[in-house]
């Protein structure tokens, strides 16, 4: 019977589990590799590229004197909550599927 309390282990898994870091690396890794060498830009970089482009477009409107490289910091920081949300959704779906018993 569940008490409804969240343990430290559950909280750690939600905020810094393997799924979080896997999603984070998938968002940031291909874009960072493509930024280093354009030949390494793959279709996997598309989600990160779209997020970085939208963020830098808004940032350029708000702070027109900043260089483009400055927008990497908010991108790297913003990718983490996205990774937590996507990993949480993955975990919820996985838990739901594993609790359903075959008929």
């Amino acid at each position: 019977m569940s008490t409804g309390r969240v343990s430290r282990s559950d909280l750690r898994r939600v905020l810094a589990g393997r799924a979080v870091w896997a999603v984070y690396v998938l968002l940031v890794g291909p874009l960072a590799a493509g930024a280093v060498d354009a030949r390494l830009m793959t279709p996997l970089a598309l989600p990160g590229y779209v997020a970085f482009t939208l963020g830098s477009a808004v940032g350029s409107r708000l702070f027109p004197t900043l260089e483009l490289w400055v927008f990497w910091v908010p991108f790297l920081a913003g990718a983490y909550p996205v990774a937590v949300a996507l990993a949480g959704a993955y975990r919820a779906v996985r838990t739901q599927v594993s609790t359903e018993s075959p008929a």
Side-chain angles (χ1 to χ4, degrees), residues 82-96:
V82 171
V84 169
L86 289 175
Y90 162 76
R91 188 167 175 78
V93 167
R94 188 173 145 207
T95 302
Q96 180 68 24

Side-chain angles (χ1 to χ4, degrees):
M1 183 169 184
S2 176
T3 62
R5 296 189 57 154
V6 177
S7 69
R8 284 188 183 194
S9 174
D10 291 336
L11 189 60
R12 183 190 57 78
R13 220 175 285 129
V14 167
L15 295 178
R18 288 181 297 199
V20 172
W21 292 112
V23 172
Y24 186 82
V25 167
L26 283 174
L27 281 172
V28 174
L31 183 62
V36 171
D37 186 357
R39 293 177 297 172
L40 298 175
M41 188 70 78
T42 67
L44 285 175
L46 185 61
Y49 181 75
V50 170
F52 183 75
T53 302
L54 291 174
S56 61
V58 171
S60 293
R61 286 285 196 181
L62 296 175
F63 307 103
T65 58
L66 294 179
E67 297 286 329
L68 185 61
W69 67 268
V70 174
F71 298 116
W72 273 93
V73 174
F75 169 69
L76 294 173
Y80 177 72
V82 171
V84 169
L86 289 175
Y90 162 76
R91 188 167 175 78
V93 167
R94 188 173 145 207
T95 302
Q96 180 68 24
V97 168
S98 67
T99 58
E100 293 176 356
S101 60

